[in-house]
Amino acid sequence: MRSRAVLTLIIVVLAVIGAGLYVLVRPTGAESRPVAGPEETATAYLAAWEGSDIGAMSRLVADTPADFAERHLAFSRDLDIESLDLIPGTLRRHGGQVAELPFQGVRGIRDLGAWPFASTLRLVRRDGRWKVLWTPETLHPALKDGGRIRLKEVPGPAVELVTRSGTRFPRDSGAESYLGMLGADLAGDGSGYALEAVRTDGTARELVAFAPPSARRIRTTFSRPVQAAAARALDGVDSPAAIVAIKADTGEVLALADRLGGELGGQGAIRGLYPPGSTFKVVTAAALLSRGLTPDSRVSCPAAYTPPNGRPFVNAGGHAAPGTTTLTGAFAVSCNTTFAEQSVRLLSAGGLVDAAELFGFNKDIEGPGVCGTVKPHGSADELGSDAIGQNSVVASPLCMALVAAAVQDGSWRQPVMTGRRGKVGRGTALPPDVVTGLRAMMRAVVTTGTASSAGFPPGTAGKTGTAEAGGGREHAWFIGYHGKVAFAVLVKNGGSGAKAAVPIASRFLRAL
């Protein structure tokens, strides 16, 4: 019995000693895991790379370069890389210390697309562990021996602008400078790009191309028949002239026939500012109607009117209406004295500027071009002169065509030259009773007033204008509308609006 107890004690002691020895020699921590092979190291590195975990990548690299992190960050930043997908190939061992893993990759370039590439992950066994032997060509083979990769812009094909129906513009249309301007603005949207590998000697080869779109035919808002009618209406006109036509209910530009000369890049019809003369009486009439007058209000049209402590205003040719007339009658014969007098009487508190701003004056045009300006008056003389489209008032033909369009439609709209057909320019509604009055007054100009002998198509409404031009011959104007087509005609230094601009407007409308 005693020998059995001794044997049992010996066995227990030996077990305790064995356990202690196991504890002393057992591997701990990371050393408890099997040493990773090249496959596991390569897979871990590619996964960290896809996840942009540069810290984890660095720990898997042998002799990590000091600029390792910056090289990766700069590469992605300079080429605007937003995504990376990597697909490992089949590992190749070269003895027991070296291995290679070819892999495929796809980088996503922001706003351009996919850039596929291929490279090789080289691995080496160091101190019993597999590490990535990193070089710049690991990022891309083109970086070997100091090479670099650049993103190069590839100009797209020229844009061909066509009319709203998809047809080409008529010959000698007078819109050429505008098409060049619009084409240049739109061509920037058609550029392509290429990634190039550039060697140290400066030679380059293309890695991938993000091609520009094919030559594009972009539809404008221009109407071929309206543009042709405008261009032919200016044929034979000796003085510089322009016609702008607008689709009244949308603000779409239907025609720009500009033969005002080379100033302002040949775009005087939308950028040139000229005194509008009596065509501005449309705006003045709107202001007076807003202050309580009606088209039938009785007013005087004397041969001369002198505001208090001011200078005299006269009518063209010394015209006067005996007794009294209606506001419509004074508008139809373009009586300066009526509009100067009524403006001094009713608009001295700034009503003229308020009305002008409803018609686009003192506003920015959202597309190409400018509208017009009118300043607050400092005296009755200035107010009277502004009221008849002189003094501080200047406008482009585009602006005055928009004035006519606003009367026809009831809302002033921003002009539109490109974009979806039927796109409506942002607008401002005019007071309905003012619009009704203006339409009646503009019809009277054509039926009984200064434009009554021109042979306009039935339903035409408009306003003539003759504007003093700083010592030179007057500018001749006519603005109006027929159906949904609103327009402005300017003959620079052409003289009387009734004699120079009205016949052009009549030819234009009769050709539609």
Side-chain angles (χ1 to χ4, degrees), residues 70 98 128 211-212 284 405 457:
E70 177 55 29
V98 177
T284 307

Side-chain angles (χ1 to χ4, degrees), residues 63-342:
D63 304 322
T64 308
D67 61 351
F68 179 80
E70 177 55 29
R71 274 184 175 271
H72 281 80
L73 294 173
F75 190 87
S76 296
R77 180 181 63 244
D78 294 345
L79 300 180
D80 212 4
I81 296 168
E82 63 179 356
S83 65
L84 174 65
D85 293 308
L86 300 171
I87 303 172
T90 301
L91 186 85
R92 299 190 295 264
R93 288 176 177 264
H94 303 285
Q97 303 298 316
V98 177
E100 291 181 341
L101 179 71
F103 64 91
Q104 303 288 325
V106 178
R107 291 181 168 101
I109 309 296
R110 189 182 307 279
D111 297 328
L112 293 181
W115 169 27
F117 70 102
S119 189
T120 300
L121 204 62
R122 299 168 58 209
L123 299 109
V124 63
R125 188 177 178 90
R126 294 277 179 88
D127 301 326
R129 296 183 181 282
W130 285 96
K131 295 279 190 175
V132 173
L133 194 61
W134 189 89
T135 58
E137 56 261 40
T138 306
L139 275 169
H140 194 282
L143 300 180
K144 185 178 181 180
D145 299 327
R148 60 189 177 89
I149 297 174
R150 68 185 179 194
L151 187 63
K152 179 181 178 181
E153 185 174 358
V154 179
V159 169
E160 181 184 6
L161 297 178
V162 294
T163 63
R164 63 197 292 115
S165 61
T167 57
R168 291 182 174 177
F169 279 73
R171 292 181 55 198
D172 191 22
S173 68
E176 290 81 5
S177 62
Y178 300 96
L179 300 182
M181 169 195 68
L182 293 172
D185 289 343
L186 295 169
D189 298 334
S191 296
Y193 291 87
L195 283 174
E196 293 183 332
V198 184
R199 303 178 184 90
T200 54
D201 62 2
T203 59
R205 63 183 177 88
E206 186 176 281
L207 299 174
V208 64
F210 302 99
S214 302
R216 294 174 298 160
R217 289 167 62 91
I218 296 180
R219 296 194 185 204
T220 64
T221 62
F222 290 67
S223 162
R224 193 180 198 283
V226 178
Q227 183 66 47
R232 301 293 72 83
L234 295 181
D235 288 344
V237 177
D238 294 331
S239 300
I243 298 177
V244 179
I246 303 289
K247 191 170 186 291
D249 56 344
T250 63
E252 293 171 288
V253 176
L254 298 175
L256 274 172
D258 189 334
R259 294 181 187 165
L260 289 170
E263 61 199 44
L264 300 170
Q267 296 173 14
I270 68 170
R271 299 187 188 279
L273 293 173
Y274 309 89
S278 291
T279 58
F280 189 73
K281 287 175 183 169
V282 174
V283 176
T284 307
L288 295 175
L289 293 173
S290 296
R291 291 301 187 274
L293 294 186
T294 71
D296 297 326
S297 292
R298 305 300 297 181
V299 294
S300 62
C301 176
Y305 162 72
T306 303
N309 303 313
R311 67 168 182 84
F313 288 84
V314 297
N315 298 315
H319 169 78
T324 61
T325 184
T326 63
L327 186 63
T328 297
F331 185 88
V333 298
S334 202
C335 186
N336 290 340
T337 56
T338 298
F339 282 85
E341 180 180 9
Q342 296 302 320

Side-chain angles (χ1 to χ4, degrees), residues 414-459:
Q414 288 278 357
V416 180
M417 292 189 192
T418 58
R420 177 178 55 82
R421 182 173 176 177
K423 178 181 178 182
V424 178
R426 187 170 59 85
T428 302
L430 305 178
D433 55 338
V434 170
V435 171
T436 300
L438 292 175
R439 290 171 180 166
M441 295 166 71
M442 291 178 71
R443 285 194 299 269
V445 172
V446 174
T447 56
T448 62
T450 52
S452 59
S453 62
F456 281 114

Side-chain angles (χ1 to χ4, degrees), residues 7-103:
L7 180 60
T8 300
L9 178 61
I10 292 171
I11 293 171
V12 170
V13 170
L14 289 175
V16 170
I17 293 172
L21 290 174
Y22 173 78
V23 170
L24 290 175
V25 302
R26 185 187 62 183
T28 60
E31 295 176 352
S32 66
R33 295 189 297 269
V35 175
E39 296 91 344
E40 291 82 3
T41 299
T43 300
Y45 184 86
L46 294 181
W49 193 1
E50 278 188 329
S52 301
D53 189 346
I54 295 177
M57 295 164 63
S58 178
R59 289 190 291 272
L60 293 170
V61 172
D63 304 322
T64 308
D67 61 351
F68 179 80
E70 177 55 29
R71 274 184 175 271
H72 281 80
L73 294 173
F75 190 87
S76 296
R77 180 181 63 244
D78 294 345
L79 300 180
D80 212 4
I81 296 168
E82 63 179 356
S83 65
L84 174 65
D85 293 308
L86 300 171
I87 303 172
T90 301
L91 186 85
R92 299 190 295 264
R93 288 176 177 264
H94 303 285
Q97 303 298 316
V98 177
E100 291 181 341
L101 179 71
F103 64 91

